[in-house]
Amino acid sequence: MLVKDMNKENFQEEVVQSDKPVLVDFWASWCGPCRMVSPIVDEIAQERPDVKVVKVNVDQEQELALQFGVMSIPTLVVMKDGKVVNQAVGVRPKEQILDLLK
């Protein structure tokens, strides 16, 4: 499955109303740690068809970042049934990111 870029226009439909768990990666292009996490997030998107994986560029979508209280990036948020059920800040190995989805 492809990783989709989210904005405030499609976030409600794609993430909040999703019938699957959603892994949201809050990132920015200038962020070194974000570039380290990005390939892991892409891998998870390919390997886990039961999970929707999306990215939110915090520079372009400051409103969404504020809504989720994102103070540092990368921030990974897991949502189920429209609610935040897990989140982590900073670089994490793949196993820890997968654990967020449990």
Side-chain angles (χ1 to χ4, degrees), residues 85-101:
V85 295
N86 228 331
Q87 75 181 66
V89 177
V91 176
R92 301 269 191 246
K94 185 176 179 180
E95 295 73 31
Q96 285 185 16
I97 297 172
L98 289 171
D99 284 346
L100 295 173
L101 296 167

Side-chain angles (χ1 to χ4, degrees), residues 44-77:
I44 291 169
Q46 293 295 322
E47 296 170 1
R48 295 285 304 269
D50 59 315
V51 175
K52 184 181 276 191
V53 179
V54 301
K55 294 187 179 193
V56 175
N57 183 321
V58 297
D59 289 335
Q60 296 171 358
E61 298 299 329
Q62 293 176 0
E63 195 175 307
L64 281 175
L66 280 172
Q67 183 181 330
F68 283 87
V70 174
M71 303 299 277
S72 298
I73 52 175
T75 293
L76 299 172
V77 174

Side-chain angles (χ1 to χ4, degrees), residues 2-38:
L2 291 174
V3 177
K4 292 185 175 182
D5 290 318
M6 291 293 106
N7 55 49
K8 63 184 181 191
E9 285 76 33
N10 64 5
F11 193 86
Q12 181 74 23
E13 181 183 338
E14 292 282 343
V15 178
V16 177
Q17 297 173 3
S18 176
D19 56 352
K20 297 179 179 181
V22 184
L23 175 63
V24 184
D25 177 11
F26 288 91
W27 71 286
S29 59
W30 49 264
C31 167
C34 298
R35 288 195 298 271
M36 293 168 66
V37 168
S38 186

